[in-house]
Amino acid sequence: MEWFIDKWQVIDSLSPFLMKGLWLTFKVSMVSIILGSILGSVLGIVKTLKWSIPRALVGGYVHLFRGTPYLVQIYIIYFVLPSLDVTWLKFDSYTAAIVSLSLYTASYVTAIVESAIRAVPRGQEEAARSCGMSKAQALYHIILPQAFKLTVPPMASIYVIVIKSTAVLSVIGISELTRQGETAILRMPGDTMFIYLLIAILYFVYCYPMLKFAGWAESKVKANGGNAVL
Amino acid sequence: MPITETQEKDPLENSDAPMVRIENVSRRFSIDGGKTSVMALKNVSNQIGRGEVVVIIGPSGSGKSTLLRTLNGLEGIDEGNIVIDGVDICSKTTCMNTLRTEVGMVFQHFNLFENKTCLENIVLPQTVVLKRQRQEAEEVARKLLERVGIPDRENNYPRQLSGGQQQRVAIARALAMKPKMMLFDEATSALDPETVSGVLDLMKQLAREGMTMAVVTHEMGFAREVADRVIFMDQGEVVEEGEPDAFFDSPRSDRAQRFLEQII
Ligand SMILES: Nc1ncnc2c1ncn2[C@@H]1O[C@H](COP(=O)(O)OP(=O)(O)OP(=O)(O)O)[C@@H](O)[C@H]1O
Ligand SMILES: [Mg+2]
């Protein structure tokens, strides 16, 4: 009983800080997910077009960002780029967080969108073009709506990875959930394990619905032979 | 009841000129990463008259689909020239999107838009491409669905229909654009035997109504009955052509003889 009271006091005194951290984690991850998804969708479409130079550039970007740890990316964007002495590359920590996380998200979204577009049978585009639709009309009315459904399950898994990656932002001084937890541990070193447990629970509470949704969406897409009516 | 509305004749249109003129067309595909290539079409020349029904037959890989697909620009050509209703489709100034509304195409695997209902499949190209009002487009679509024999399935998605029904919708979708001619690439090859005849009947009816048609098919009975002319292709070339009865009863070339022996 005494243990519970003791821990309850820890929770009670830390919860404003942890909640603030969770809120910041939520904001940073949501903004990055939205910006990254928009950028990634555009780049994913570019990757399926015939323009060879933009396609190669996007391909290089995807390999670069997917092939390196996010921690290294944030270091480069926050610590290395400013030393180049270019004004618009001097980010404050919040901007650096959003920029790096959006680029990281977009690199995955690009790959997902590209493969989803390629998964739509060729005949769909051929039929649309045969009716006289332009490439853009065929994409907009026929191909993207079908590809979009295929992106939902993998997209949700990527979003979970992005949310968890925000923990890395503590290294550039963003007081998101992990950073708040670490600060709390400095104040209450006796409860290190318990505080990490609290942090883990909060991440889980944020990510779990997303994982559930991914699973549900996947079963939906499978049940309809790749053409879910979501 | 006719499937197509009688087209108004343009008084300036030279009705003696053929609908399609194919001149020395070649098409090469590079395979295994450009190391080798196949000539899918070798110096093909031909004409299709107005209202003519041409059936193209030949062994697998002989270039039948490629020839058909060059006629609406789904496949480009390397050499030669194709003129459709007086319009050079290889010219840079030709709008391929407009051309494609005038040359309807029906595919082996139907290729209905999976994310649209039957009605929407027919309405969408009209509103998007021809800029018809939605109401008018729906009227056209309903009329066509009735005439191809499935008036009661307009709100079904393609996957909820049988192959034969899907192919009828696909034909209706192409006809909604009021094409000058229709291309059929093995339109019945993916169908269950019992639904083949229904789709063939529809094609026969179109032919009777004077539609210009180029038909790739393995249905020799259809070719004999409906075709004005049969074109036999092998290895990218037009080997032989002629009236169906003459061609089927006494083919002149060895290759056509061997092909006909194999399939009968
Ligand atoms: N996109 C492509 N890329 C590479 N080769 C192709 C392509 N399309 C067709 N070919 C080749 O061109 C040749 C002619 O093909 P085509 O599809 O026109 O034949 P077909 O007469 O329609 O055959 P089938 O009766 O099997 O449909 C074949 O050798 C084929 O492999
Ligand atoms: Mg073919």
Side-chain angles (χ1 to χ4, degrees):
Chain A
M1 197 61 210
E2 203 173 318
W3 188 85
F4 277 109
I5 293 169
D6 183 38
K7 295 306 172 202
W8 182 253
Q9 274 168 354
V10 174
I11 293 176
D12 199 40
S13 70
L14 290 186
S15 65
F17 301 101
L18 293 185
M19 280 308 164
K20 235 176 96 193
L22 181 62
W23 175 234
L24 195 58
T25 291
F26 176 77
K27 274 197 301 193
V28 171
S29 57
M30 271 304 157
V31 171
S32 303
I33 282 172
I34 291 167
L35 292 179
S37 299
I38 294 170
L39 178 65
S41 301
V42 173
L43 296 182
I45 294 170
V46 169
K47 198 95 198 305
T48 63
L49 301 179
K50 285 205 180 101
W51 317 327
S52 54
I53 293 171
R55 216 171 55 192
L57 289 176
V58 174
Y61 153 75
V62 169
H63 283 310
L64 200 64
F65 276 77
R66 292 211 307 171
T68 53
Y70 177 60
L71 181 62
V72 174
Q73 294 168 20
I74 183 90
Y75 270 133
I76 290 176
I77 286 176
Y78 188 59
F79 294 114
V80 181
L81 289 189
S83 68
L84 297 179
D85 242 15
V86 182
T87 324
W88 60 272
L89 286 180
K90 290 196 166 114
F91 301 126
D92 60 55
S93 62
Y94 187 73
T95 314
I98 297 286
V99 167
S100 62
L101 203 52
S102 299
L103 289 174
Y104 178 71
T105 309
S107 67
Y108 282 93
V109 172
T110 301
I112 290 171
V113 169
E114 181 195 356
S115 65
I117 290 176
R118 293 195 191 286
V120 175
R122 270 203 66 75
Q124 294 289 306
E125 178 173 359
E126 288 186 349
R129 300 305 300 274
S130 291
C131 294
M133 287 192 213
S134 65
K135 172 93 189 175
Q137 288 168 336
L139 262 177
Y140 179 76
H141 292 286
I142 305 302
I143 298 164
L144 292 182
Q146 293 183 50
F148 174 72
K149 288 165 188 166
L150 301 175
T151 66
V152 174
M155 215 77 117
S157 326
I158 290 308
Y159 292 165
V160 170
I161 293 176
V162 170
I163 292 167
K164 292 189 293 187
S165 300
T166 55
V168 167
L169 294 173
S170 56
V171 302
I172 61 166
I174 304 271
S175 36
E176 42 65 64
L177 182 54
T178 304
R179 173 87 169 194
Q180 290 284 5
E182 283 166 346
T183 316
I185 287 168
L186 291 181
R187 284 169 47 208
M188 305 177 173
D191 285 309
T192 304
M193 272 308 288
F194 182 68
I195 292 171
Y196 273 126
L197 181 69
L198 285 180
I199 296 172
I201 289 171
L202 287 176
Y203 275 115
F204 185 75
V205 165
Y206 182 13
C207 293
Y208 184 70
M210 199 76 94
L211 282 171
K212 268 313 247 195
F213 175 71
W216 174 80
E218 190 144 28
S219 67
K220 220 42 195 167
V221 169
K222 280 216 182 92
N224 282 290
N227 273 300
V229 191
L230 287 172
Chain B
M1 204 166 21
I3 306 177
T4 47
E5 280 161 42
T6 38
Q7 288 185 355
E8 294 161 42
K9 274 266 184 281
D10 182 347
L12 293 177
E13 198 173 81
N14 180 359
S15 55
D16 293 338
M19 182 66 87
V20 180
R21 221 167 56 226
I22 303 165
E23 293 164 345
N24 308 103
V25 167
S26 294
R27 171 65 161 136
R28 181 190 297 275
F29 287 108
S30 55
I31 44 181
D32 31 281
K35 264 179 270 163
T36 47
S37 64
V38 283
M39 289 287 278
L41 296 175
K42 291 181 205 158
N43 205 25
V44 173
S45 296
N46 218 292
Q47 297 198 346
I48 302 175
R50 283 167 204 282
E52 193 181 15
V53 177
V54 173
V55 166
I56 305 167
I57 63 172
S60 179
S62 56
K64 308 180 297 288
S65 298
T66 307
L67 179 62
L68 218 55
R69 291 158 59 89
T70 58
L71 296 183
N72 76 344
L74 269 188
E75 213 71 78
I77 59 178
D78 298 322
E79 278 161 50
N81 217 6
I82 296 174
V83 180
I84 292 186
D85 200 19
V87 178
D88 177 357
I89 72 167
C90 306
S91 154
K92 284 255 185 309
T93 55
T94 301
C95 176
M96 291 310 286
N97 295 334
T98 310
L99 171 94
R100 292 200 184 98
T101 64
E102 295 172 352
V103 182
M105 177 120 188
V106 177
F107 300 87
Q108 179 175 0
H109 296 289
F110 333 128
N111 296 352
L112 289 181
F113 306 137
E114 297 287 338
N115 57 329
K116 303 281 176 194
T117 62
C118 286
L119 191 76
E120 277 301 316
N121 261 275
I122 308 173
V123 167
L124 186 76
Q126 298 182 64
T127 52
V128 168
V129 181
L130 302 179
K131 312 285 180 221
R132 281 191 193 139
Q133 293 300 312
R134 201 184 155 85
Q135 199 187 346
E136 185 195 350
E138 278 185 16
E139 271 167 35
V140 171
R142 292 213 172 85
K143 223 182 267 175
L144 280 167
L145 277 177
E146 197 178 314
R147 291 183 187 175
V148 300
I150 37 171
D152 49 348
R153 307 304 293 269
E154 62 173 62
N155 290 323
N156 285 138
Y157 282 87
R159 62 175 172 277
Q160 298 169 316
L161 267 57
S162 74
Q165 290 168 330
Q166 289 189 52
Q167 196 61 295
R168 289 157 188 268
V169 177
I171 291 172
R173 177 176 66 182
L175 291 175
M177 310 305 280
K178 295 237 172 74
K180 292 175 179 165
M181 72 174 296
M182 291 280 286
L183 310 172
F184 293 85
D185 191 358
E186 304 200 26
T188 57
S189 296
L191 299 182
D192 296 331
E194 64 269 24
T195 57
V196 167
S197 66
V199 173
L200 287 179
D201 285 343
L202 204 53
M203 291 164 64
K204 284 177 201 168
Q205 193 185 341
L206 265 178
R208 274 200 302 275
E209 289 166 17
M211 177 64 80
T212 308
M213 291 164 56
V215 183
V216 173
T217 185
H218 295 301
E219 300 286 338
M220 298 305 151
F222 175 86
R224 231 183 227 279
E225 186 184 336
V226 184
D228 296 310
R229 185 156 50 98
V230 174
I231 295 180
F232 172 72
M233 291 184 73
D234 192 17
Q235 300 185 354
E237 295 169 312
V238 174
V239 177
E240 185 173 341
E241 59 179 303
E243 293 201 349
D245 285 336
F247 174 80
F248 286 114
D249 294 338
S250 48
R252 294 187 303 275
S253 62
D254 290 348
R255 284 194 268 182
Q257 275 166 23
R258 251 177 290 135
F259 175 73
L260 288 176
E261 273 163 23
Q262 270 169 12
I263 57 166
I264 292 169

